[in-house]
Amino acid sequence: MSSEPYKSSAKSVTARALAVLAAFDVENPLLTLSQLARRAGLPVATVYRLAGELEDGRFLDRDNAGRYGLGVRLWEMGLLTPIHGRLRETAMPFLLNLQYDCRETVQLAVCDGTNAIYIEKLTSEVSVPLQSRIGARIPLHATGVGKALLAFSPEAFADAILAMPLTRYTPETITDRRSLSRQLVQIRTNGYAQSHQEYQLGSTSVAAPVLVDGTVQAAIGIVSYSLRTDMAQYVPSLLHAAKGLARRLEEAVGTAYPSISEPVPEHGANGTDPMPALRAGEQPLSIPKTAGYRPPKALH
């Protein structure tokens, strides 16, 4: 994720409070008052007052050094989201079985805008820890779970991604649009995706989409940091887990899980804005804002 400050031009109290909360991210979980004001794009005095009120409501906490962090109340509210309350809980038995079978890191990801987000990760005692964490954003074009999501996304969404500048993370990253397009066709034919040192040197992965009523809702991936050449042996177990999770979600009539369900706007459409870069120091991409997933109108 980008370390650039989150600037706010909002005037309402609600929007300013949201700007304060949005200043925190994976790379900046703790912030001093001055850092918080700079990242929120608000005066220090304004942030001091808002932070005090948010702390009183347990939306923010402060440590012994006076640094602010997100509070327990936000964590409690986060448990009510469709991703955690339905998708993660429903997926956990399938992820556990898959991780027991392969003894490698197993990940669950969903699409959000033009990135994928890890929403669950399981690591065994014998697998090498990976430089990834729940909540981290990753590129769609350079990771196994990302390509599995992208290949089975609506055509307009995939076209928008292919029209973007494709960041090169390693010498193995596919940045040629035609090559990536051909690979996406092959992924749809095979039913699973592969990635070999395309996002992180030394890592290799296989991933499969979770398709519910023909719509991709998530992707399950197996990742190894030992440059294994036999990852294909786990494809049957991987597909079994993905299809099992899809069936369970289909059976859960009326429950909530994320879905890419809106068309992608044309380049230059009104209301578009750049998405944040995936890593610190990278520049934001100037691209149209895409649909991502939509929570249902009511949770059951």
Side-chain angles (χ1 to χ4, degrees), residues 101-157:
D101 182 47
C102 69
R103 293 297 196 272
E104 294 286 358
T105 297
V106 171
Q107 298 168 330
L108 178 67
V110 297
C111 189
D112 182 42
T114 57
N115 302 321
I117 298 180
Y118 290 130
I119 64 171
E120 189 56 84
K121 182 181 78 169
L122 301 178
T123 304
S124 76
E125 70 280 2
V126 297
S127 62
V128 178
L130 298 176
Q131 299 301 314
S132 64
R133 59 185 295 176
I134 297 174
R137 289 179 176 270
I138 55 173
L140 293 173
H141 71 283
T143 59
V145 289
K147 287 192 285 188
L149 290 166
L150 184 58
F152 291 89
S153 293
E155 183 178 355
F157 181 84

Side-chain angles (χ1 to χ4, degrees), residues 2-143:
S2 172
S3 60
E4 291 296 315
Y6 180 96
K7 298 296 185 181
S8 173
S9 59
K11 296 182 179 180
S12 72
V13 174
T14 301
R16 291 179 179 182
L18 291 174
V20 170
L21 295 175
F24 298 94
D25 59 25
V26 172
E27 295 177 356
N28 299 276
L30 294 173
L31 297 169
T32 65
L33 179 62
S34 61
Q35 290 171 333
L36 186 55
R38 183 171 63 252
R39 288 182 60 81
L42 297 169
V44 173
T46 300
V47 173
Y48 178 77
R49 176 178 56 81
L50 291 173
E53 295 176 357
L54 290 170
E55 184 181 4
D56 290 342
R58 297 185 302 145
F59 294 97
L60 291 182
D61 285 330
R62 265 194 300 176
D63 63 14
N64 294 332
R67 296 175 301 177
Y68 291 93
L70 298 178
V72 67
R73 181 59 180 148
L74 287 176
W75 175 76
E76 292 173 341
M77 294 173 66
L79 297 179
L80 302 177
T81 63
I83 287 180
H84 188 282
R86 299 298 183 189
L87 183 56
R88 286 181 68 187
E89 291 184 5
T90 305
M92 187 58 70
F94 301 98
L95 301 179
L96 287 169
N97 287 338
L98 180 60
Q99 199 273 330
Y100 180 82
D101 182 47
C102 69
R103 293 297 196 272
E104 294 286 358
T105 297
V106 171
Q107 298 168 330
L108 178 67
V110 297
C111 189
D112 182 42
T114 57
N115 302 321
I117 298 180
Y118 290 130
I119 64 171
E120 189 56 84
K121 182 181 78 169
L122 301 178
T123 304
S124 76
E125 70 280 2
V126 297
S127 62
V128 178
L130 298 176
Q131 299 301 314
S132 64
R133 59 185 295 176
I134 297 174
R137 289 179 176 270
I138 55 173
L140 293 173
H141 71 283
T143 59

Side-chain angles (χ1 to χ4, degrees), residues 138-175:
I138 55 173
L140 293 173
H141 71 283
T143 59
V145 289
K147 287 192 285 188
L149 290 166
L150 184 58
F152 291 89
S153 293
E155 183 178 355
F157 181 84
D159 288 344
I161 298 297
L162 290 171
M164 292 166 40
L166 301 175
T167 301
R168 182 179 296 278
Y169 297 96
T170 75
E172 302 298 324
T173 306
I174 299 175
T175 58

